[in-house]
Amino acid sequence: QVQLVESGGGLVQAGGSVRLSCAASGRPFNVYTMGWFRQAPGKERDVVAAITWSGGRTFYADSVKGRFTISRDNAQNTVYLQMNSLEPEDTAVYYCARHTVWRSTLAYESRESYTDWGQGTQVTVSS
Protein backbone atom coordinates (compact mmCIF):
# COMPACT_ATOMS: atom_id res chain seq x y z
CA GLN A 1 0.00 0.00 0.00
CA VAL A 2 2.49 2.55 1.25
CA GLN A 3 6.21 1.93 1.00
CA LEU A 4 8.17 3.46 3.84
CA VAL A 5 11.93 3.84 3.93
CA GLU A 6 13.75 5.03 7.03
CA SER A 7 17.10 6.75 6.87
CA GLY A 8 19.43 8.83 8.97
CA GLY A 9 20.54 6.29 11.53
CA GLY A 10 24.10 5.58 12.46
CA LEU A 11 26.61 5.72 15.27
CA VAL A 12 26.47 8.74 17.53
CA GLN A 13 28.01 9.59 20.88
CA ALA A 14 25.91 10.15 23.95
CA GLY A 15 24.60 13.69 24.08
CA GLY A 16 24.56 13.98 20.32
CA SER A 17 21.71 14.42 17.90
CA VAL A 18 20.32 12.47 14.99
CA ARG A 19 17.53 13.28 12.59
CA LEU A 20 15.67 10.32 11.15
CA SER A 21 13.60 10.53 8.00
CA CYS A 22 10.82 8.31 6.77
CA ALA A 23 10.05 8.71 3.10
CA ALA A 24 6.78 7.39 1.72
CA SER A 25 5.91 6.29 -1.77
CA GLY A 26 2.97 4.61 -3.41
CA ARG A 27 -0.27 5.57 -1.72
CA PRO A 28 0.01 9.08 -0.31
CA PHE A 29 0.59 8.91 3.41
CA ASN A 30 -0.44 12.44 4.21
CA VAL A 31 -3.90 11.36 5.36
CA TYR A 32 -2.63 9.03 8.06
CA THR A 33 -1.27 9.38 11.52
CA MET A 34 2.37 8.36 11.39
CA GLY A 35 4.38 6.75 14.13
CA TRP A 36 7.98 6.10 15.03
CA PHE A 37 8.79 2.92 16.92
CA ARG A 38 11.98 1.35 18.14
CA GLN A 39 13.13 -2.12 19.04
CA ALA A 40 16.25 -3.06 20.94
CA PRO A 41 17.61 -6.63 20.89
CA GLY A 42 15.41 -8.91 22.96
CA LYS A 43 12.87 -6.16 23.56
CA GLU A 44 9.38 -5.43 22.36
CA ARG A 45 8.83 -2.93 19.60
CA ASP A 46 7.64 0.17 21.43
CA VAL A 47 6.24 3.46 20.28
CA VAL A 48 8.50 6.47 20.36
CA ALA A 49 6.33 9.21 18.89
CA ALA A 50 3.37 9.75 16.62
CA ILE A 51 1.77 12.63 14.74
CA THR A 52 -1.67 13.06 13.23
CA TRP A 53 -2.24 13.56 9.53
CA SER A 54 -2.56 17.32 9.91
CA GLY A 55 0.28 17.62 12.38
CA GLY A 56 -2.10 19.06 14.94
CA ARG A 57 -1.55 16.43 17.63
CA THR A 58 1.52 14.55 18.72
CA PHE A 59 2.33 11.75 21.13
CA TYR A 60 5.61 10.94 22.84
CA ALA A 61 6.73 8.08 24.98
CA ASP A 62 7.65 9.24 28.46
CA SER A 63 11.24 8.17 27.93
CA VAL A 64 11.78 10.62 25.06
CA LYS A 65 9.69 13.62 26.07
CA GLY A 66 11.71 16.78 25.91
CA ARG A 67 14.41 15.15 23.81
CA PHE A 68 12.70 13.93 20.64
CA THR A 69 10.50 15.86 18.24
CA ILE A 70 8.32 14.35 15.55
CA SER A 71 7.28 16.37 12.53
CA ARG A 72 6.01 15.82 9.03
CA ASP A 73 6.12 17.46 5.65
CA ASN A 74 3.14 16.18 3.72
CA ALA A 75 4.22 17.94 0.55
CA GLN A 76 7.41 15.88 0.65
CA ASN A 77 5.71 12.70 1.87
CA THR A 78 8.18 12.56 4.72
CA VAL A 79 8.00 12.27 8.49
CA TYR A 80 10.94 13.15 10.69
CA LEU A 81 12.19 12.31 14.13
CA GLN A 82 14.65 14.77 15.59
CA MET A 83 16.50 13.08 18.43
CA ASN A 84 18.54 15.22 20.80
CA SER A 85 20.47 14.49 23.98
CA LEU A 86 20.81 10.88 22.95
CA GLU A 87 21.52 8.25 25.56
CA PRO A 88 22.89 4.71 25.21
CA GLU A 89 19.41 3.47 26.14
CA ASP A 90 18.16 4.96 22.87
CA THR A 91 20.13 2.36 20.91
CA ALA A 92 17.66 0.43 18.77
CA VAL A 93 16.34 -0.12 15.30
CA TYR A 94 13.91 2.66 14.54
CA TYR A 95 10.87 2.00 12.38
CA CYS A 96 8.18 4.18 10.93
CA ALA A 97 4.66 3.05 10.14
CA ARG A 98 1.27 4.47 9.32
CA HIS A 99 -1.93 4.23 11.24
CA THR A 100 -4.64 2.20 9.53
CA VAL A 101 -7.44 4.76 9.86
CA TRP A 102 -7.82 7.51 7.30
CA ARG A 103 -7.58 10.96 8.90
CA SER A 104 -7.77 9.63 12.41
CA THR A 105 -7.71 12.20 15.17
CA LEU A 106 -5.71 9.86 17.38
CA ALA A 107 -2.04 10.65 17.77
CA TYR A 108 -1.11 7.07 18.64
CA GLU A 109 -3.72 4.51 19.82
CA SER A 110 -1.65 1.28 19.84
CA ARG A 111 1.09 -0.57 18.01
CA GLU A 112 -1.42 -2.99 16.53
CA SER A 113 -3.12 -0.12 14.72
CA TYR A 114 -0.12 0.50 12.46
CA THR A 115 0.87 -1.07 9.18
CA ASP A 116 3.22 -0.76 6.19
CA TRP A 117 6.26 -0.92 8.42
CA GLY A 118 9.55 0.22 6.98
CA GLN A 119 12.72 -1.83 7.14
CA GLY A 120 14.11 0.24 9.96
CA THR A 121 17.28 2.20 10.52
CA GLN A 122 19.83 1.39 13.21
CA VAL A 123 20.71 4.02 15.77
CA THR A 124 23.62 3.21 18.04
CA VAL A 125 24.51 5.57 20.86
CA SER A 126 27.91 5.07 22.41
CA SER A 127 28.99 6.28 25.82
Side-chain angles (χ1 to χ4, degrees):
Q1 303 290 355
V2 179
Q3 293 77 49
L4 302 174
V5 179
E6 302 93 338
S7 63
L11 178 63
V12 61
Q13 294 186 5
S17 298
V18 170
R19 188 195 193 199
L20 304 183
S21 298
C22 175
S25 61
R27 174 187 294 181
F29 87 129
N30 57 1
V31 296
Y32 297 102
T33 288
M34 295 293 297
W36 281 100
F37 299 76
R38 66 185 181 185
Q39 186 169 21
K43 303 293 185 179
E44 294 284 328
R45 186 175 299 186
D46 295 327
V47 65
V48 176
I51 185 168
T52 55
W53 69 274
S54 66
R57 297 182 64 188
T58 57
F59 169 89
Y60 295 97
D62 289 341
S63 60
V64 306
K65 286 181 179 178
R67 300 189 298 121
F68 292 7
T69 302
I70 188 171
S71 62
R72 67 190 300 162
D73 186 340
N74 287 339
Q76 297 295 320
N77 290 335
T78 304
V79 62
Y80 305 95
L81 184 67
Q82 178 67 45
M83 304 190 294
N84 299 325
S85 301
L86 284 165
E87 304 168 353
E89 292 73 21
D90 296 317
T91 296
V93 177
Y94 285 72
Y95 301 87
C96 66
R98 71 169 178 91
H99 197 276
T100 56
V101 178
W102 180 74
R103 290 189 174 182
S104 173
T105 59
L106 299 175
Y108 172 50
E109 188 176 356
S110 69
R111 182 185 63 194
E112 290 73 23
S113 298
Y114 290 78
T115 189
D116 290 344
W117 298 87
Q119 293 299 114
T121 184
Q122 175 73 46
V123 175
T124 302
V125 184
S126 64
S127 59

